[in-house]
Amino acid sequence: MATPHKAGVPGRIAAAILAVAALAAALGFAGHRQEAASLAARDGAGLRRGVEERLAGMRAREVRDIAAGRRGAVPAQGEGLGAGGSGLLGEAEAARREILVVLDRLEADLRAGPLGSGTPRALRAAADALAASSSSREDALRIELLDAAAHLAAGRFARAEHLLGGIAAEGAAAAPGSASPDVPALLAAAREGRAAAERGARLAEAAAEALRGAMSRGDPGPLERWRLEARAWCAAAARRGFASIAAAPRDAAELGRLASQIPALRDAGQVALGAYADLAAWAGAAVEDAARSGDATGALALLDGLAALLGEEEPASTPGIARLRSRLLEERGRAALERDPERAAGDVAAAAHLRLQLAADAEPGARRRLAVEAAGLLDLAGDPRGVLEALPAPELDDADAVLLVARARAEAGDPRGAAALLDAAIERGAAWEEGTWASGLGPAAEEARLLRAAVRLEMASDLAARDPGEALALDSEAGRDLVLLIENLDAASAVCRAALLLRALQLERRALEDLSRAAGRRAAPEAAAQLELAGALLERWLAAPGSRGTQAEVVALDRLWRIEERLGRRERAWASLEELAGLEPRSLAPDRSRLRGLFRLSRTRIEDLAAGAAYRLADATLESGDAEGALRRYERALSLHGEGPLAPWARLRIAEIVEARGERERGAAERSLARAALGGLADLSAREPAAGAWLRKWRSALASKLEGER
């Protein structure tokens, strides 16, 4: 009997699934290269200045109101209960400012140097990536340096000093492979920061002790109680900051409670300007620390309390808060894209809308930049119409805007509009000059050509039945763009890898169409040549740096084994099947492409392709006469891929194998499991409507076979 893999999903469905997936699986996200955490950290520093300016303005207004008799008398800062705590907090703030000077200088040095980033998350990620790919002594030193820099950037000075001291003791005066940043300079920064943090921690503890003593004496009224509680929160925040301890949800809740009491105090003609200023300053510091360390959720919770404290009503009223909130929402959304896509989309869309609100009150240059940033986030959230609303008329010299709008037009059902925009942008003097792309779009012209090729292929597919002539012309134009990219870009380029994969799929489709139309052997030589070239391009893709370990590897190996089998090269087909069957889909890196919405490969489809390879390999092993080897492969496929649509077939084959060696009881059990697993095919049919007819047919055939063998 033919295996289900030989029967296959109808050609049009399979080609559509794979072609629609391939480009996103191959192309790395080319735009918005700065990570949200880095921007959030810098917006945190901006928030610090914004809060100080806001407080200065409020203080001036309060003094005017008091002078005019519109407010009650206000004790000078430091008077009343807890005066000692207030003074100590002021000294702790001076220590914190010393630390901020160290951290700001460090971030600038790291960003300008070979490590490339000043954020703890980026530095740790770089260390993990290097540890996974190298074992040389020089790289080991660099990993230690990255780890130390990550601790230093997060304000964990003692740990950073310990690591850097060990590196310095080994005689490494500079970052391996570079001249800067040098280890002694980092070690000096760690010692400077540690000294300030230890002094600040002592002052914060002394302030907390003084405040506890003040709170234990007498029965303060509402204003004095609020002042003491506010400064107690400040002391706790200071201790956490100096010790690099993350704020807990209860800390954000307490800040919100203190902020909520301010209107009632003001209505009663009472203000505590000094404590209010301290609370706003230390709340801003806590937000900044959380943003710097990459704790987006914690920073957002604290930011809500700070916004309430400052009386924020509209984003424009405190732009620093709105900018930081937008960055933090973006960071949290990006981090949750795989784990919780729905929440991630909500976060990045909210970040986009904040950017658009800020843009409304910005200068023209900033307005354009914010609109492009918002469009990029709406694109990430899967909202092409939102992209088009944010950028109704992109300027052709703005590469990000052109690519975002072209993609959004294609996703929104206007591929001709997308192609026209890309044509206009690319043809503004585009030319190859000594291997370097030069055009109005600059380096993004490569990506624009890739997107134009993808859009033209999609248009050609839609027109194939209605207008074969135009479809052929579009297909040829797409092929020329892809060949141009392949011939002029290095294979390590993400754009080149995408072009390789898309061109291979295009050639394979052409070959299969030629064979189908010929209905004989006349087209066989030309089709075989196209398949040969497609296979060579796939092998080149698999050999290119950055290809392995990605979801696109599943697509490339799946197409390669099918091409090799069609060309009659059984051993090479088996080798690709072995590789594909050995992949663990959930461990493969997801792809972040500008084309991910137009050319999407779902995790379910990736898992189905890998499972299909595992079962096909087991079938081939059985067909070769190795029943025991086939049994092991079927069992491994079931353990890896569970009760998927092909599980009933595997269990039926297992039953046949074990019954042939006399294990009738196990054979009956496997047949029973196969019958139970048939229900899974109905679930898949609902999940993948395009394949529904094939699944219903396959389920019916399996059910008939099981019934006939009862």
Side-chain angles (χ1 to χ4, degrees):
M1 172 184 285
T3 69
H5 310 282
K6 288 182 178 179
V9 181
R12 166 100 177 158
I13 296 172
I17 291 170
L18 290 166
V20 164
L23 199 50
L27 179 63
F29 185 64
H32 310 293
R33 297 182 187 280
Q34 290 178 300
E35 60 177 276
S38 173
L39 293 168
R42 277 181 279 164
D43 277 342
L47 174 70
R48 185 195 325 155
R49 293 187 291 272
V51 168
E52 290 170 354
E53 292 170 2
R54 181 79 177 247
L55 285 172
M58 285 185 166
R59 187 175 289 113
R61 286 195 300 275
E62 293 285 0
V63 170
R64 287 196 302 270
D65 286 349
I66 292 164
R70 290 194 294 271
R71 297 274 183 207
V74 185
Q77 183 170 339
E79 292 184 1
L81 297 176
S86 172
L88 290 165
L89 282 173
E91 294 181 47
E93 173 63 19
R96 172 174 168 77
R97 288 182 180 276
E98 290 180 34
I99 290 173
L100 291 173
V101 169
V102 173
L103 291 175
D104 290 347
R105 186 176 68 235
L106 172 72
E107 182 175 356
D109 289 346
L110 291 176
R111 191 171 299 283
L115 300 184
S117 176
T119 65
R121 177 178 294 180
L123 292 164
R124 281 195 301 270
D128 291 343
L130 190 57
S133 63
S134 177
S135 59
S136 71
R137 179 56 188 156
E138 182 177 284
D139 282 340
L141 281 172
R142 188 171 178 81
I143 290 166
E144 289 182 32
L145 180 65
L146 286 164
D147 190 30
H151 285 292
L152 187 52
R156 292 187 285 270
F157 299 110
R159 178 59 179 162
E161 183 181 3
H162 173 75
L163 292 171
L164 290 165
I167 296 171
E170 295 189 27
S178 67
S180 174
D182 60 84
V183 172
L186 292 177
L187 184 55
R191 287 170 176 165
E192 184 182 351
R194 177 182 56 77
E198 288 177 350
R199 185 170 67 258
R202 289 194 298 271
L203 290 165
E205 181 56 44
E209 182 63 29
L211 289 162
R212 282 194 293 270
M215 294 176 76
S216 66
R217 297 192 297 272
D219 183 18
L223 175 61
E224 195 62 31
R225 184 181 301 109
W226 186 90
R227 177 189 285 117
L228 289 170
E229 290 176 346
R231 288 204 167 113
W233 192 95
C234 294
R239 283 186 298 182
R240 288 193 303 271
F242 290 124
S244 296
I245 298 172
R250 64 176 177 275
D251 299 314
E254 175 65 6
L255 177 61
R257 184 185 71 81
L258 290 168
S260 70
Q261 294 176 352
I262 291 175
L265 291 172
R266 287 180 183 274
D267 290 344
Q270 296 177 313
V271 279
L273 192 57
Y276 178 85
D278 283 346
L279 185 58
W282 283 102
V287 173
E288 184 181 356
D289 289 341
R292 187 185 294 275
S293 67
D295 178 15
T297 297
L300 281 165
L302 290 165
L303 195 61
D304 287 340
L306 178 59
L309 195 65
L310 295 176
E312 181 200 40
E313 296 176 358
E314 297 294 335
S317 65
T318 313
I321 287 183
R323 282 195 299 270
L324 183 54
R325 192 193 304 279
S326 179
R327 297 294 185 195
L328 291 168
L329 285 166
E330 176 187 353
E331 181 188 350
R332 188 171 71 179
R334 288 184 183 277
L337 279 171
E338 295 302 312
R339 184 180 67 255
D340 190 350
E342 187 173 345
R343 177 179 177 179
D347 277 347
V348 294
H353 291 303
L354 276 171
R355 299 276 223 289
L356 290 174
Q357 290 178 54
L358 286 166
D361 297 312
E363 295 298 321
R367 184 182 306 133
R368 176 177 166 183
R369 175 182 57 78
L370 288 165
V372 173
E373 289 180 6
L377 292 172
L378 291 166
D379 169 69
L380 190 63
D383 182 6
R385 299 199 179 279
V387 173
L388 297 176
E389 290 173 5
L391 294 172
E395 297 187 25
L396 294 180
D397 62 348
D398 188 331
D400 279 339
V402 167
L403 292 166
L404 284 166
V405 172
R407 235 191 84 180
R409 287 181 181 177
E411 288 182 344
D414 181 18
R416 289 191 181 277
L421 176 60
L422 291 166
D423 286 342
I426 291 171
E427 300 308 324
R428 296 179 70 206
W432 285 101
E433 296 176 359
E434 299 179 359
T436 302
W437 188 253
S439 80
L441 282 176
E446 301 158 4
E447 191 176 339
R449 280 192 178 269
L450 184 62
L451 177 55
R452 183 171 69 176
V455 170
R456 283 173 170 171
L457 287 174
E458 193 74 7
M459 291 167 64
S461 176
D462 291 341
L463 289 168
R466 301 194 309 274
D467 191 342
E470 185 177 357
L472 181 60
L474 288 167
D475 189 75
S476 298
E477 290 168 357
R480 282 194 292 272
D481 271 342
L482 294 173
V483 169
L484 190 64
L485 294 169
I486 291 168
E487 290 180 349
N488 288 277
L489 297 178
D490 188 276
S493 158
V495 172
C496 183
R497 293 201 307 272
L500 283 168
L501 192 50
L502 192 56
R503 177 64 172 162
L505 292 170
Q506 183 190 31
L507 289 169
E508 182 192 16
R509 175 183 51 75
R510 284 181 179 178
L512 297 179
E513 288 175 352
D514 287 348
L515 289 171
S516 176
R517 282 195 298 267
R521 300 189 58 81
R522 286 177 298 150
E526 183 178 349
Q530 289 178 321
L531 289 173
E532 285 274 7
L533 180 54
L537 291 173
L538 289 171
E539 288 175 347
R540 183 178 167 189
W541 184 90
L542 288 164
S547 296
R548 298 290 188 166
T550 65
Q551 293 176 348
E553 187 178 3
V554 172
V555 177
L557 288 170
D558 178 74
R559 303 322 302 164
L560 185 57
W561 82 258
R562 295 176 188 276
I563 288 172
E564 297 291 4
E565 186 175 60
R566 187 172 289 276
L567 291 171
R569 298 195 286 244
R570 187 180 181 89
E571 289 186 5
R572 294 176 65 169
W574 273 43
S576 297
L577 264 177
E578 286 271 14
E579 282 194 75
L580 180 53
L583 294 179
E584 173 49 61
R586 293 186 180 277
S587 70
L588 298 175
D591 303 286
R592 294 285 174 260
S593 163
R594 289 185 195 270
L595 306 173
R596 64 191 169 275
L598 182 58
F599 298 95
R600 179 178 289 115
L601 186 62
S602 69
R603 182 173 292 279
T604 297
R605 176 54 58 186
I606 291 170
E607 292 172 355
D608 287 348
L609 289 176
Y615 289 120
R616 177 70 184 92
L617 193 59
D619 286 344
T621 305
L622 184 60
E623 290 166 5
S624 71
D626 182 5
E628 291 302 315
L631 178 61
R632 288 192 297 273
R633 289 190 185 280
Y634 282 125
E635 289 173 338
R636 183 171 184 274
L638 286 168
S639 69
L640 277 177
H641 304 291
E643 299 298 329
L646 299 174
W649 173 262
R651 293 202 177 279
L652 183 57
R653 288 299 188 127
I654 289 173
E656 292 170 351
I657 293 169
V658 298
E659 286 171 352
R661 65 186 190 189
E663 299 179 26
R664 296 190 176 281
E665 186 174 335
R666 182 184 173 186
E670 292 291 345
R671 290 178 189 279
S672 177
L673 288 171
R675 292 189 185 92
L678 282 176
L681 295 182
D683 295 338
L684 184 63
S685 178
R687 193 175 69 205
E688 299 284 354
W694 172 78
L695 287 170
R696 285 191 294 273
K697 182 178 178 181
W698 169 233
R699 184 177 185 277
S700 175
L702 258 183
S704 298
K705 181 172 176 59
L706 285 167
E707 286 297 321
E709 295 186 359
R710 278 194 171 185

